[in-house]
Amino acid sequence: MDYSEISVYTTSEMAELIAYFLQEVCMDGVSIYDKKDLYDNASWDYKDDTAEAVYESEVVVKGYCEQEDTQRVLDFLRQSLDGLTDAGSLKVVVNTVDGNAWVDKWKETFRPIETAKLVICPEWQSVETDKTVFLIDTGIAFGTGQHETTALCLEIAEELKLTGKTVLDVGCGSGILGLCSLLLGAERAELVDIDPQATAIAKHNAEINGLAKKCSIKTGSLTEKTTDKFDVVFANLTADILQLLREEITKVVKRGTLLVLSGILDIKLDEVLQAYRDSFEVLSTREKGEWRALLLQAR
């Protein structure tokens, strides 16, 4: 199947904001190609010259969509980019790509990611480490742990005492947060996403990590599929969706439940806090670049 590849040329500082815009309309995946990431990650093998070849002089943010959605994406993107300053050339290029070839090219850029307690390793690679390894296949569109919003959630998860806890991963994508919680000691995890592609990938990731018997993975909305109350809830979405899900999320928590919210741009933080403050105590706020994550506790 052919897809439209929409590339925006920008700077390292603005790449995440532009990726955020593309994520609003490109349900088939968003990637950031920034050469500096190649050198900032100490776990990568810098002697492989082919790794650098996929990068350009400017940072390139690429969104992928079905071809019939191309004009809608471009209209939204141009409106979103209007008025941005100090953001590079903001050149927009549209190409047609074969879905299978695109995935193969993307795989060339994905290397193991090391956190405080885990190494997130592509299923098609291997890594030598004393840390716990989480094998991952993201399919065509879902989280790898590279994005700041996911990294913030993992950072919080590694600091929590998850042993024996029940965990819910809302909008699970590849399942990285719910499944890594199991590797960090959680007793059981439930993963929910409205996208059947996401839950199919999450089930595959559960299987290749030997976690299938400790989790349930469901396709549908939160209130349709979830009736339990959990010890820890992760919701790595967008600020607008977090606000919309506020009532649903309060139905799956109990007094003392820890709630991790991420995917929040700094300019949206106050809005999210306002939506949750009456039912949750704010324990901490984390930041990476322009992204924010919240650790809350249900009253």
Side-chain angles (χ1 to χ4, degrees), residues 162-197:
L162 292 175
T163 302
K165 303 294 185 182
T166 58
V167 172
L168 173 65
D169 186 352
V170 182
C172 65
S174 62
I176 186 171
L177 297 178
L179 298 176
C180 283
S181 294
L182 292 173
L183 294 179
L184 292 169
E187 179 180 337
R188 182 175 65 86
E190 187 165 306
L191 291 72
V192 181
D193 202 296
I194 61 173
D195 189 337
Q197 286 183 302

PDB file of all heavy atoms in Angstrom, residues 162-197:
ATOM      1  N   LEU A 162       6.657  -0.410  41.900  1.00  0.00           N
ATOM      2  CA  LEU A 162       5.613  -1.079  41.140  1.00  0.00           C
ATOM      3  C   LEU A 162       5.381  -2.532  41.550  1.00  0.00           C
ATOM      4  O   LEU A 162       4.412  -3.152  41.090  1.00  0.00           O
ATOM      5  CB  LEU A 162       5.946  -1.032  39.647  1.00  0.00           C
ATOM      6  CG  LEU A 162       5.904   0.356  38.988  1.00  0.00           C
ATOM      7  CD1 LEU A 162       6.370   0.260  37.538  1.00  0.00           C
ATOM      8  CD2 LEU A 162       4.510   0.935  39.062  1.00  0.00           C
ATOM      9  N   THR A 163       6.220  -3.069  42.397  1.00  0.00           N
ATOM     10  CA  THR A 163       6.097  -4.479  42.768  1.00  0.00           C
ATOM     11  C   THR A 163       4.714  -4.785  43.310  1.00  0.00           C
ATOM     12  O   THR A 163       4.233  -4.144  44.258  1.00  0.00           O
ATOM     13  CB  THR A 163       7.157  -4.860  43.807  1.00  0.00           C
ATOM     14  OG1 THR A 163       8.457  -4.585  43.271  1.00  0.00           O
ATOM     15  CG2 THR A 163       7.051  -6.333  44.182  1.00  0.00           C
ATOM     16  N   GLY A 164       4.055  -5.746  42.681  1.00  0.00           N
ATOM     17  CA  GLY A 164       2.733  -6.178  43.129  1.00  0.00           C
ATOM     18  C   GLY A 164       1.589  -5.278  42.720  1.00  0.00           C
ATOM     19  O   GLY A 164       0.438  -5.549  43.065  1.00  0.00           O
ATOM     20  N   LYS A 165       1.858  -4.230  41.961  1.00  0.00           N
ATOM     21  CA  LYS A 165       0.821  -3.244  41.608  1.00  0.00           C
ATOM     22  C   LYS A 165       0.073  -3.655  40.336  1.00  0.00           C
ATOM     23  O   LYS A 165       0.572  -4.404  39.499  1.00  0.00           O
ATOM     24  CB  LYS A 165       1.447  -1.861  41.398  1.00  0.00           C
ATOM     25  CG  LYS A 165       2.232  -1.321  42.579  1.00  0.00           C
ATOM     26  CD  LYS A 165       1.334  -1.056  43.765  1.00  0.00           C
ATOM     27  CE  LYS A 165       2.112  -0.391  44.897  1.00  0.00           C
ATOM     28  NZ  LYS A 165       1.265  -0.159  46.093  1.00  0.00           N
ATOM     29  N   THR A 166      -1.133  -3.124  40.211  1.00  0.00           N
ATOM     30  CA  THR A 166      -1.884  -3.252  38.964  1.00  0.00           C
ATOM     31  C   THR A 166      -1.745  -1.949  38.183  1.00  0.00           C
ATOM     32  O   THR A 166      -1.800  -0.861  38.748  1.00  0.00           O
ATOM     33  CB  THR A 166      -3.367  -3.531  39.233  1.00  0.00           C
ATOM     34  OG1 THR A 166      -3.929  -2.470  40.027  1.00  0.00           O
ATOM     35  CG2 THR A 166      -3.542  -4.852  39.955  1.00  0.00           C
ATOM     36  N   VAL A 167      -1.560  -2.079  36.865  1.00  0.00           N
ATOM     37  CA  VAL A 167      -1.238  -0.930  36.022  1.00  0.00           C
ATOM     38  C   VAL A 167      -2.197  -0.875  34.840  1.00  0.00           C
ATOM     39  O   VAL A 167      -2.542  -1.907  34.246  1.00  0.00           O
ATOM     40  CB  VAL A 167       0.217  -1.025  35.510  1.00  0.00           C
ATOM     41  CG1 VAL A 167       0.502   0.060  34.476  1.00  0.00           C
ATOM     42  CG2 VAL A 167       1.197  -0.912  36.681  1.00  0.00           C
ATOM     43  N   LEU A 168      -2.618   0.336  34.493  1.00  0.00           N
ATOM     44  CA  LEU A 168      -3.412   0.575  33.293  1.00  0.00           C
ATOM     45  C   LEU A 168      -2.637   1.511  32.373  1.00  0.00           C
ATOM     46  O   LEU A 168      -2.141   2.547  32.808  1.00  0.00           O
ATOM     47  CB  LEU A 168      -4.761   1.215  33.658  1.00  0.00           C
ATOM     48  CG  LEU A 168      -5.637   1.677  32.494  1.00  0.00           C
ATOM     49  CD1 LEU A 168      -6.098   0.499  31.648  1.00  0.00           C
ATOM     50  CD2 LEU A 168      -6.842   2.461  33.009  1.00  0.00           C
ATOM     51  N   ASP A 169      -2.542   1.142  31.092  1.00  0.00           N
ATOM     52  CA  ASP A 169      -1.887   1.956  30.074  1.00  0.00           C
ATOM     53  C   ASP A 169      -2.969   2.428  29.102  1.00  0.00           C
ATOM     54  O   ASP A 169      -3.483   1.649  28.304  1.00  0.00           O
ATOM     55  CB  ASP A 169      -0.822   1.122  29.352  1.00  0.00           C
ATOM     56  CG  ASP A 169       0.020   1.927  28.364  1.00  0.00           C
ATOM     57  OD1 ASP A 169      -0.311   3.102  28.129  1.00  0.00           O
ATOM     58  OD2 ASP A 169       0.982   1.362  27.824  1.00  0.00           O
ATOM     59  N   VAL A 170      -3.331   3.710  29.192  1.00  0.00           N
ATOM     60  CA  VAL A 170      -4.408   4.289  28.383  1.00  0.00           C
ATOM     61  C   VAL A 170      -3.830   4.821  27.072  1.00  0.00           C
ATOM     62  O   VAL A 170      -2.915   5.636  27.086  1.00  0.00           O
ATOM     63  CB  VAL A 170      -5.100   5.439  29.148  1.00  0.00           C
ATOM     64  CG1 VAL A 170      -6.261   5.998  28.324  1.00  0.00           C
ATOM     65  CG2 VAL A 170      -5.582   4.977  30.511  1.00  0.00           C
ATOM     66  N   GLY A 171      -4.386   4.399  25.938  1.00  0.00           N
ATOM     67  CA  GLY A 171      -3.805   4.782  24.658  1.00  0.00           C
ATOM     68  C   GLY A 171      -2.437   4.154  24.521  1.00  0.00           C
ATOM     69  O   GLY A 171      -1.430   4.831  24.301  1.00  0.00           O
ATOM     70  N   CYS A 172      -2.387   2.824  24.607  1.00  0.00           N
ATOM     71  CA  CYS A 172      -1.124   2.113  24.853  1.00  0.00           C
ATOM     72  C   CYS A 172      -0.153   2.148  23.683  1.00  0.00           C
ATOM     73  O   CYS A 172       1.046   1.955  23.881  1.00  0.00           O
ATOM     74  CB  CYS A 172      -1.415   0.669  25.244  1.00  0.00           C
ATOM     75  SG  CYS A 172      -2.177  -0.323  23.928  1.00  0.00           S
ATOM     76  N   GLY A 173      -0.632   2.376  22.458  1.00  0.00           N
ATOM     77  CA  GLY A 173       0.290   2.322  21.319  1.00  0.00           C
ATOM     78  C   GLY A 173       0.991   0.983  21.246  1.00  0.00           C
ATOM     79  O   GLY A 173       0.347  -0.075  21.271  1.00  0.00           O
ATOM     80  N   SER A 174       2.308   0.987  21.221  1.00  0.00           N
ATOM     81  CA  SER A 174       3.082  -0.256  21.144  1.00  0.00           C
ATOM     82  C   SER A 174       3.058  -1.040  22.445  1.00  0.00           C
ATOM     83  O   SER A 174       3.567  -2.161  22.501  1.00  0.00           O
ATOM     84  CB  SER A 174       4.529   0.065  20.785  1.00  0.00           C
ATOM     85  OG  SER A 174       5.115   0.874  21.798  1.00  0.00           O
ATOM     86  N   GLY A 175       2.504  -0.457  23.512  1.00  0.00           N
ATOM     87  CA  GLY A 175       2.429  -1.135  24.796  1.00  0.00           C
ATOM     88  C   GLY A 175       3.627  -0.934  25.676  1.00  0.00           C
ATOM     89  O   GLY A 175       3.752  -1.549  26.736  1.00  0.00           O
ATOM     90  N   ILE A 176       4.499  -0.021  25.313  1.00  0.00           N
ATOM     91  CA  ILE A 176       5.783   0.110  25.992  1.00  0.00           C
ATOM     92  C   ILE A 176       5.626   0.432  27.481  1.00  0.00           C
ATOM     93  O   ILE A 176       6.353  -0.122  28.312  1.00  0.00           O
ATOM     94  CB  ILE A 176       6.671   1.159  25.280  1.00  0.00           C
ATOM     95  CG1 ILE A 176       8.064   1.197  25.899  1.00  0.00           C
ATOM     96  CG2 ILE A 176       6.040   2.531  25.287  1.00  0.00           C
ATOM     97  CD1 ILE A 176       9.042   2.044  25.089  1.00  0.00           C
ATOM     98  N   LEU A 177       4.673   1.284  27.849  1.00  0.00           N
ATOM     99  CA  LEU A 177       4.567   1.682  29.255  1.00  0.00           C
ATOM    100  C   LEU A 177       3.968   0.568  30.110  1.00  0.00           C
ATOM    101  O   LEU A 177       4.489   0.248  31.186  1.00  0.00           O
ATOM    102  CB  LEU A 177       3.748   2.961  29.374  1.00  0.00           C
ATOM    103  CG  LEU A 177       4.349   4.177  28.684  1.00  0.00           C
ATOM    104  CD1 LEU A 177       3.421   5.385  28.814  1.00  0.00           C
ATOM    105  CD2 LEU A 177       5.721   4.507  29.263  1.00  0.00           C
ATOM    106  N   GLY A 178       2.888  -0.017  29.646  1.00  0.00           N
ATOM    107  CA  GLY A 178       2.274  -1.095  30.415  1.00  0.00           C
ATOM    108  C   GLY A 178       3.179  -2.306  30.525  1.00  0.00           C
ATOM    109  O   GLY A 178       3.318  -2.908  31.605  1.00  0.00           O
ATOM    110  N   LEU A 179       3.822  -2.671  29.430  1.00  0.00           N
ATOM    111  CA  LEU A 179       4.672  -3.860  29.434  1.00  0.00           C
ATOM    112  C   LEU A 179       5.965  -3.638  30.209  1.00  0.00           C
ATOM    113  O   LEU A 179       6.420  -4.528  30.942  1.00  0.00           O
ATOM    114  CB  LEU A 179       4.962  -4.292  27.998  1.00  0.00           C
ATOM    115  CG  LEU A 179       3.726  -4.695  27.179  1.00  0.00           C
ATOM    116  CD1 LEU A 179       4.119  -5.016  25.748  1.00  0.00           C
ATOM    117  CD2 LEU A 179       2.993  -5.864  27.817  1.00  0.00           C
ATOM    118  N   CYS A 180       6.556  -2.465  30.078  1.00  0.00           N
ATOM    119  CA  CYS A 180       7.756  -2.172  30.879  1.00  0.00           C
ATOM    120  C   CYS A 180       7.435  -2.129  32.366  1.00  0.00           C
ATOM    121  O   CYS A 180       8.278  -2.477  33.199  1.00  0.00           O
ATOM    122  CB  CYS A 180       8.390  -0.866  30.422  1.00  0.00           C
ATOM    123  SG  CYS A 180       9.339  -1.019  28.888  1.00  0.00           S
ATOM    124  N   SER A 181       6.218  -1.717  32.715  1.00  0.00           N
ATOM    125  CA  SER A 181       5.812  -1.741  34.124  1.00  0.00           C
ATOM    126  C   SER A 181       5.855  -3.163  34.673  1.00  0.00           C
ATOM    127  O   SER A 181       6.248  -3.384  35.827  1.00  0.00           O
ATOM    128  CB  SER A 181       4.402  -1.161  34.278  1.00  0.00           C
ATOM    129  OG  SER A 181       4.380   0.206  33.965  1.00  0.00           O
ATOM    130  N   LEU A 182       5.467  -4.131  33.858  1.00  0.00           N
ATOM    131  CA  LEU A 182       5.549  -5.531  34.287  1.00  0.00           C
ATOM    132  C   LEU A 182       7.000  -5.939  34.504  1.00  0.00           C
ATOM    133  O   LEU A 182       7.325  -6.631  35.478  1.00  0.00           O
ATOM    134  CB  LEU A 182       4.887  -6.431  33.244  1.00  0.00           C
ATOM    135  CG  LEU A 182       3.375  -6.288  33.101  1.00  0.00           C
ATOM    136  CD1 LEU A 182       2.878  -7.099  31.914  1.00  0.00           C
ATOM    137  CD2 LEU A 182       2.654  -6.714  34.378  1.00  0.00           C
ATOM    138  N   LEU A 183       7.892  -5.519  33.614  1.00  0.00           N
ATOM    139  CA  LEU A 183       9.310  -5.828  33.786  1.00  0.00           C
ATOM    140  C   LEU A 183       9.886  -5.158  35.022  1.00  0.00           C
ATOM    141  O   LEU A 183      10.864  -5.641  35.601  1.00  0.00           O
ATOM    142  CB  LEU A 183      10.097  -5.400  32.543  1.00  0.00           C
ATOM    143  CG  LEU A 183       9.802  -6.154  31.251  1.00  0.00           C
ATOM    144  CD1 LEU A 183      10.649  -5.588  30.109  1.00  0.00           C
ATOM    145  CD2 LEU A 183      10.068  -7.646  31.409  1.00  0.00           C
ATOM    146  N   LEU A 184       9.266  -4.051  35.435  1.00  0.00           N
ATOM    147  CA  LEU A 184       9.729  -3.325  36.623  1.00  0.00           C
ATOM    148  C   LEU A 184       9.049  -3.819  37.899  1.00  0.00           C
ATOM    149  O   LEU A 184       9.249  -3.232  38.958  1.00  0.00           O
ATOM    150  CB  LEU A 184       9.478  -1.826  36.436  1.00  0.00           C
ATOM    151  CG  LEU A 184      10.333  -1.147  35.353  1.00  0.00           C
ATOM    152  CD1 LEU A 184       9.818   0.256  35.066  1.00  0.00           C
ATOM    153  CD2 LEU A 184      11.797  -1.093  35.765  1.00  0.00           C
ATOM    154  N   GLY A 185       8.245  -4.887  37.798  1.00  0.00           N
ATOM    155  CA  GLY A 185       7.715  -5.512  39.003  1.00  0.00           C
ATOM    156  C   GLY A 185       6.214  -5.523  39.161  1.00  0.00           C
ATOM    157  O   GLY A 185       5.690  -6.141  40.096  1.00  0.00           O
ATOM    158  N   ALA A 186       5.472  -4.828  38.298  1.00  0.00           N
ATOM    159  CA  ALA A 186       4.018  -4.815  38.420  1.00  0.00           C
ATOM    160  C   ALA A 186       3.466  -6.232  38.302  1.00  0.00           C
ATOM    161  O   ALA A 186       4.004  -7.079  37.587  1.00  0.00           O
ATOM    162  CB  ALA A 186       3.393  -3.908  37.372  1.00  0.00           C
ATOM    163  N   GLU A 187       2.363  -6.492  39.003  1.00  0.00           N
ATOM    164  CA  GLU A 187       1.770  -7.835  39.014  1.00  0.00           C
ATOM    165  C   GLU A 187       0.919  -8.089  37.783  1.00  0.00           C
ATOM    166  O   GLU A 187       0.927  -9.185  37.225  1.00  0.00           O
ATOM    167  CB  GLU A 187       0.907  -7.994  40.273  1.00  0.00           C
ATOM    168  CG  GLU A 187       0.212  -9.345  40.387  1.00  0.00           C
ATOM    169  CD  GLU A 187      -0.633  -9.457  41.639  1.00  0.00           C
ATOM    170  OE1 GLU A 187      -0.365  -8.710  42.610  1.00  0.00           O
ATOM    171  OE2 GLU A 187      -1.563 -10.284  41.649  1.00  0.00           O
ATOM    172  N   ARG A 188       0.185  -7.060  37.346  1.00  0.00           N
ATOM    173  CA  ARG A 188      -0.725  -7.217  36.216  1.00  0.00           C
ATOM    174  C   ARG A 188      -0.873  -5.886  35.505  1.00  0.00           C
ATOM    175  O   ARG A 188      -0.807  -4.826  36.134  1.00  0.00           O
ATOM    176  CB  ARG A 188      -2.103  -7.690  36.707  1.00  0.00           C
ATOM    177  CG  ARG A 188      -3.123  -7.933  35.595  1.00  0.00           C
ATOM    178  CD  ARG A 188      -4.417  -8.510  36.172  1.00  0.00           C
ATOM    179  NE  ARG A 188      -5.084  -7.565  37.060  1.00  0.00           N
ATOM    180  CZ  ARG A 188      -5.935  -6.612  36.642  1.00  0.00           C
ATOM    181  NH1 ARG A 188      -6.177  -6.482  35.333  1.00  0.00           N
ATOM    182  NH2 ARG A 188      -6.518  -5.803  37.502  1.00  0.00           N
ATOM    183  N   ALA A 189      -1.064  -5.932  34.197  1.00  0.00           N
ATOM    184  CA  ALA A 189      -1.251  -4.701  33.428  1.00  0.00           C
ATOM    185  C   ALA A 189      -2.402  -4.873  32.452  1.00  0.00           C
ATOM    186  O   ALA A 189      -2.599  -5.945  31.880  1.00  0.00           O
ATOM    187  CB  ALA A 189       0.025  -4.337  32.664  1.00  0.00           C
ATOM    188  N   GLU A 190      -3.157  -3.806  32.279  1.00  0.00           N
ATOM    189  CA  GLU A 190      -4.200  -3.759  31.258  1.00  0.00           C
ATOM    190  C   GLU A 190      -3.850  -2.635  30.297  1.00  0.00           C
ATOM    191  O   GLU A 190      -3.498  -1.533  30.723  1.00  0.00           O
ATOM    192  CB  GLU A 190      -5.570  -3.519  31.895  1.00  0.00           C
ATOM    193  CG  GLU A 190      -6.717  -3.637  30.905  1.00  0.00           C
ATOM    194  CD  GLU A 190      -8.063  -3.769  31.595  1.00  0.00           C
ATOM    195  OE1 GLU A 190      -8.201  -4.676  32.454  1.00  0.00           O
ATOM    196  OE2 GLU A 190      -8.969  -2.961  31.292  1.00  0.00           O
ATOM    197  N   LEU A 191      -3.913  -2.916  29.008  1.00  0.00           N
ATOM    198  CA  LEU A 191      -3.549  -1.949  27.978  1.00  0.00           C
ATOM    199  C   LEU A 191      -4.752  -1.734  27.075  1.00  0.00           C
ATOM    200  O   LEU A 191      -5.369  -2.703  26.621  1.00  0.00           O
ATOM    201  CB  LEU A 191      -2.361  -2.449  27.155  1.00  0.00           C
ATOM    202  CG  LEU A 191      -0.994  -2.532  27.845  1.00  0.00           C
ATOM    203  CD1 LEU A 191      -0.914  -3.666  28.839  1.00  0.00           C
ATOM    204  CD2 LEU A 191       0.109  -2.723  26.805  1.00  0.00           C
ATOM    205  N   VAL A 192      -5.071  -0.472  26.806  1.00  0.00           N
ATOM    206  CA  VAL A 192      -6.255  -0.137  26.015  1.00  0.00           C
ATOM    207  C   VAL A 192      -5.885   0.889  24.957  1.00  0.00           C
ATOM    208  O   VAL A 192      -5.167   1.860  25.236  1.00  0.00           O
ATOM    209  CB  VAL A 192      -7.386   0.434  26.903  1.00  0.00           C
ATOM    210  CG1 VAL A 192      -8.627   0.745  26.065  1.00  0.00           C
ATOM    211  CG2 VAL A 192      -7.735  -0.531  28.022  1.00  0.00           C
ATOM    212  N   ASP A 193      -6.366   0.686  23.733  1.00  0.00           N
ATOM    213  CA  ASP A 193      -6.183   1.657  22.664  1.00  0.00           C
ATOM    214  C   ASP A 193      -7.357   1.548  21.702  1.00  0.00           C
ATOM    215  O   ASP A 193      -7.895   0.459  21.489  1.00  0.00           O
ATOM    216  CB  ASP A 193      -4.865   1.402  21.920  1.00  0.00           C
ATOM    217  CG  ASP A 193      -4.363   2.648  21.181  1.00  0.00           C
ATOM    218  OD1 ASP A 193      -5.051   3.113  20.249  1.00  0.00           O
ATOM    219  OD2 ASP A 193      -3.296   3.156  21.555  1.00  0.00           O
ATOM    220  N   ILE A 194      -7.758   2.671  21.125  1.00  0.00           N
ATOM    221  CA  ILE A 194      -8.875   2.650  20.186  1.00  0.00           C
ATOM    222  C   ILE A 194      -8.455   2.133  18.814  1.00  0.00           C
ATOM    223  O   ILE A 194      -9.301   1.812  17.986  1.00  0.00           O
ATOM    224  CB  ILE A 194      -9.514   4.052  20.033  1.00  0.00           C
ATOM    225  CG1 ILE A 194      -8.495   5.063  19.481  1.00  0.00           C
ATOM    226  CG2 ILE A 194     -10.101   4.520  21.345  1.00  0.00           C
ATOM    227  CD1 ILE A 194      -9.109   6.407  19.145  1.00  0.00           C
ATOM    228  N   ASP A 195      -7.158   2.045  18.551  1.00  0.00           N
ATOM    229  CA  ASP A 195      -6.641   1.654  17.246  1.00  0.00           C
ATOM    230  C   ASP A 195      -6.290   0.163  17.250  1.00  0.00           C
ATOM    231  O   ASP A 195      -5.406  -0.266  17.998  1.00  0.00           O
ATOM    232  CB  ASP A 195      -5.401   2.482  16.912  1.00  0.00           C
ATOM    233  CG  ASP A 195      -4.917   2.287  15.481  1.00  0.00           C
ATOM    234  OD1 ASP A 195      -5.223   1.233  14.880  1.00  0.00           O
ATOM    235  OD2 ASP A 195      -4.233   3.185  14.965  1.00  0.00           O
ATOM    236  N   PRO A 196      -6.952  -0.645  16.429  1.00  0.00           N
ATOM    237  CA  PRO A 196      -6.636  -2.081  16.411  1.00  0.00           C
ATOM    238  C   PRO A 196      -5.212  -2.384  15.966  1.00  0.00           C
ATOM    239  O   PRO A 196      -4.644  -3.408  16.347  1.00  0.00           O
ATOM    240  CB  PRO A 196      -7.672  -2.654  15.432  1.00  0.00           C
ATOM    241  CG  PRO A 196      -8.146  -1.494  14.617  1.00  0.00           C
ATOM    242  CD  PRO A 196      -8.062  -0.302  15.513  1.00  0.00           C
ATOM    243  N   GLN A 197      -4.606  -1.504  15.146  1.00  0.00           N
ATOM    244  CA  GLN A 197      -3.200  -1.700  14.780  1.00  0.00           C
ATOM    245  C   GLN A 197      -2.311  -1.617  16.010  1.00  0.00           C
ATOM    246  O   GLN A 197      -1.353  -2.375  16.162  1.00  0.00           O
ATOM    247  CB  GLN A 197      -2.761  -0.648  13.767  1.00  0.00           C
ATOM    248  CG  GLN A 197      -3.279  -0.849  12.354  1.00  0.00           C
ATOM    249  CD  GLN A 197      -2.724   0.203  11.410  1.00  0.00           C
ATOM    250  OE1 GLN A 197      -2.899   1.404  11.623  1.00  0.00           O
ATOM    251  NE2 GLN A 197      -2.059  -0.235  10.370  1.00  0.00           N
TER     252      GLN A 197
END
